[in-house]
Amino acid sequence: MIFLFYLLSAIMIFCALLVVFSKNPINNVIYLILCFIAMAGHYILLNAQFLAVVHIIVYTGAIMVLFLFVIMLLNLNKAIIIRKSTVTRISAVVTGGIFFLVLLAATRQTFEIKAKYPFNSEIGLVSGIGKTLFGEFLLPFEISSILFISAMVGAMMFGKKDA
Amino acid sequence: MDFSTLIFKAIFLFIILLVTLVVAMYSTYAERKVAAFMQDRNGPNRAGPFGLLQPLADGLKMFMKEEIIPLTANKYLFILGPSIAMTTALLTGVVIPWGDTLTIGDHVYSLQMADLNIGILYVFAMVSIGVYGIMIGGWASNNKYALLGAIRAASQMISYELAMGMSIIALVLTTGSLSLHDIVAQQHGMHWNVFYQPLGFFIFLICAFAETNRAPFDLPECETELIGGYHTEYSSMKLGFYLFAEYVNMFISSAVIATLYFGGYNMPFIDQLGLSSNAVTFIGMAFFFIKIFAFIFLFMWIRWTLPRFRYDQLMNLGWKGLLPLAIFNILATGTYYFFTSLK
């Protein structure tokens, strides 16, 4: 188990780095897909089979297909090198560094959270998620569905030519 | 999991792989024979008795052909494309319950590789990853016809995945489980889901045709417009993999349809025969394969009967026909179970 964890983590970090450093947009997307698949593997290690499969269906099977689709249609198969001014670069480094600090602070808290909520192996299965969503988080769940519908209607409004 | 189960699983996995490949191989032969029958011809009859060795000859031909990779193609992705198509096609077989339990000595083995509690969704996930095989292959060829074919394939599969998922939701409402093992066990004794979900079955069947890129949904490889579609630039065994993956997909989706809607390995009146449990398992497995072959024949029958859709007809059918119908099916099923559970 622990070996699988390290293997998956290594694949994930390697692919995530290549997403950033690879110059060809198509390769970026493919490494991101690999990264997502490795993440689904992590879900399976946590006994969250439902989350793993939904992750693959939604992110790998739908969203990344659209990403690939757009890149293929735009035919961005040449490596692109974007030159930015020094001010932009420095501010990007500073923002990235601050974000890293926030993440570091957040991971420090995980030990306390882990002590408060012990690991429940049923949490990622269908019944566990269903009971949580339709019990404890019913209102936010329903409100987010309204949000989705409004987003869909909005997308259709943009799609119509004479709107 | 003890050692004997592990050995059994390993052997069983090998048999599944072998059976899948052999059935897919002979589907190519069956397809040509069915086409010949429908067009009043003889079909392949030169290699071996009744042309039975034709698939082997075809396979040999594919291996012997010269392998060409276009100079302008992206080499890694060009090879990756058919590999993904074949791998995802073969991966689905592990969750299908091929039979009930088998008793050897005092051990009871289940004739299903992995009883995931989200079996249906696993099948669905593999189908959605399968798009990449066609998309990556079509793009890497660096050919406008291949790209057009790939884009058509991807948009077709995304569109029909929606209606397929919706028809599965209605099925899950009736069965109350996502595990393929439970779904088959519930259909014991003629309680086949097709009688409870007839509309859902039709939607699922049509979407299965679209997902496997079979006629009348074979626009991605429409030879009159796109030469060969996404595999225009492919030759040798890489082309063979694409063509073969289509037949493997056809076999697997027939198995999934038989499992979900036609009772899987359940055979009516099998309990009255008074046979031992192993004999029941084997007869059930044979009956399951008869159902699968019936669906494979249906796939071929429709291919050689109906003309191909036009692209706008395809999109209209998917988004304006099947999707609303599938949503209506969910609503009707939900309402029915709501009112029956009130009593």
Side-chain angles (χ1 to χ4, degrees), chain A residues 132-159:
Chain A
T132 318
L133 280 185
F134 286 98
E136 204 179 334
F137 297 107
L138 182 62
L139 189 67
F141 183 64
E142 295 292 337
I143 288 176
S144 66
S145 73
I146 296 173
L147 201 67
F148 273 119
I149 288 200
S150 59
M152 266 157 65
V153 173
M156 269 154 83
M157 284 296 285
F158 279 124

Side-chain angles (χ1 to χ4, degrees), chain A residues 91-106:
Chain A
S91 55
V93 168
V94 170
T95 344
I98 292 172
F99 184 62
F100 183 67
L101 272 182
V102 172
L103 284 183
L104 215 60

Side-chain angles (χ1 to χ4, degrees), chain A residues 49-66:
Chain A
Q49 302 173 6
F50 180 72
L51 274 184
V53 165
V54 167
H55 179 78
I56 287 189
I57 293 175
V58 174
Y59 286 94
T60 318
I63 293 179
M64 294 319 290
V65 169
L66 290 181

Side-chain angles (χ1 to χ4, degrees), chain A residues 24 26-27 29-30 33 37 49-50 53-54 56-57 59-66 68-69 71-73 75-77 125-126, chain B residues 74 77 80 115-118 121-122 124-126 128-129 131-132 135-136 138-140 142 147 150-152 154-155 158 161 178:
Chain A
N24 186 333
I26 290 271
N27 287 354
V29 173
I30 288 168
I33 293 166
I37 291 175
Q49 302 173 6
F50 180 72
V53 165
V54 167
I56 287 189
I57 293 175
Y59 286 94
T60 318
I63 293 179
M64 294 319 290
V65 169
L66 290 181
L68 206 58
F69 211 81
I71 288 174
M72 283 180 182
L73 278 179
N75 208 13
L76 296 174
N77 50 357
L125 301 181
V126 193
Chain B
N74 185 329
L77 297 182
L80 189 66
D115 180 20
L116 302 181
N117 62 8
I118 34 97
L121 293 180
Y122 173 83
F124 206 65
M126 284 307 129
S128 61
I129 294 185
V131 190
Y132 286 116
M135 271 182 93
I136 290 177
W139 181 82
N142 204 2
L147 182 67
I151 282 170
R152 275 190 186 181
S155 54
I158 292 174
E161 249 169 42
L178 290 166

